[in-house]
Amino acid sequence: MVKTGTDILRAKSLLENNELIGIPTETVYGLAGNALAPHAVVKIFETKQRPAFDPLIVHTHSIDEVIKYTKNLPQEALKLFEAFAPGPLTLILPKSDIIPDIVTSGHPTVGIRIPNHPLTLELLKQLDFPLAAPSANPFGYVSPTSAQHVIDQLGDKVPYILDGGSSNVGVESTILKCENGEVHVLRLGGLEIESIENVLGRKIDKIKTSSSNPQAPGMLSSHYNPGKQIKIGNIAKEIENHPNARIGIISFFEDFSHPSIQKQIILSPQKDLTEAARNLFKALRAFDNNEIDIVLTETFPDEGLGKAINDRLKRAAAI
Ligand code: TXA
Ligand code: MG
């Protein structure tokens, strides 16, 4: 039977039977199951080989639904969802009793988001439960930004993948925790910090995204590793530093030329950070089957989506 397509009814019926499916979102593809059915949620952890201590994000379609699955929604949270939902923003909020503990790994909080993808929003509207969905990749690997990426890695484990084309944003949602009137960043992502600060009318001073941060249990430093050594630095210099290596390159906009270069990917010849973010994960995957010893890349401008790109590259480079 065909594994991918745009058949919402088929997706719905599988989910109602506690099966998992792949879903498109504007950030990355998710591996989705009924968030209110512990049976389905267990399958998500098993399929991804994800440790049970790493909680899942709950996806829904409206602010009214968010209110159902959380408790005492803080003012800031409402303001942020009103400004950015549907969009690449996940808020960590006190959970309501309807959300099973297994979804949140026992935490009293739930990560919740309204994804901005027409197919998935339509599916969510037709379901009478929200979807728990981590990125649809094996634990520790790069997140998928197309249905084909999901097929490549989890194709034998999921019965169906809703194909919504390439993810528009290309990096995962920005995760914020709203607590005691304060807003902390737990994960840099597809929503720019500058836009969040504009809506809040103040600067966010602490970005707590270190790998040792127990508040964001999934943010391990070695995430996103595509199975090749990655080095971040001055690409031209690093080419000279590796005279005998077969070199791969991921650059922002520059084109490098050297006999050692086996494959080169320029993320945005137009120097557009949004375009670069959209192309990043596909680029990291592109070296999988190449005979390359090292992938050289660089630090992107520390603004807009450049912050999330730098975060993912640092994690990809950590062994
Ligand atoms: O863009 C996205 O957010 C994608 C799409 C599919 O929505 N999802 C995604 O999920 O990236 P995942 O599971 O790969 O990453 C979720 C992150 C993990 O680092 C997890 O630890 C954190 O969110 N998280 C979830 N619930 C949390 C909670 N209650 N407290 C703290 N961190 C939480
Ligand atoms: Mg993930």
Side-chain angles (χ1 to χ4, degrees), residues 262-283:
Q262 307 291 313
K263 186 176 177 73
Q264 168 164 223
I265 296 177
I266 301 170
L267 293 184
S268 174
Q270 312 299 322
K271 302 190 192 181
D272 174 0
L273 287 169
T274 303
E275 182 183 34
R278 189 181 301 138
N279 293 328
L280 177 66
F281 288 166
K282 191 173 162 198

Side-chain angles (χ1 to χ4, degrees), residues 5-9 11-12 15 21-33 57-62 65 86-87 113-134 147 150 160-167:
T6 55
D7 186 348
I8 291 186
L9 285 182
K12 179 171 185 257
L15 291 164
I21 63 159
I23 55 164
T25 86
E26 79 282 31
T27 57
V28 300
Y29 273 66
L31 175 67
I57 294 176
V58 169
H59 298 65
T60 188
H61 60 83
S62 71
E65 293 288 300
R113 101 175 186 92
I114 303 175
N116 190 13
H117 191 288
L119 263 186
T120 294
L121 276 177
E122 185 51 40
L123 172 66
L124 287 164
K125 281 179 197 154
Q126 292 198 23
L127 293 170
D128 53 14
F129 48 82
L131 292 175
V150 183
Y160 193 56
I161 298 156
L162 267 185
D163 188 347
S166 289
S167 296

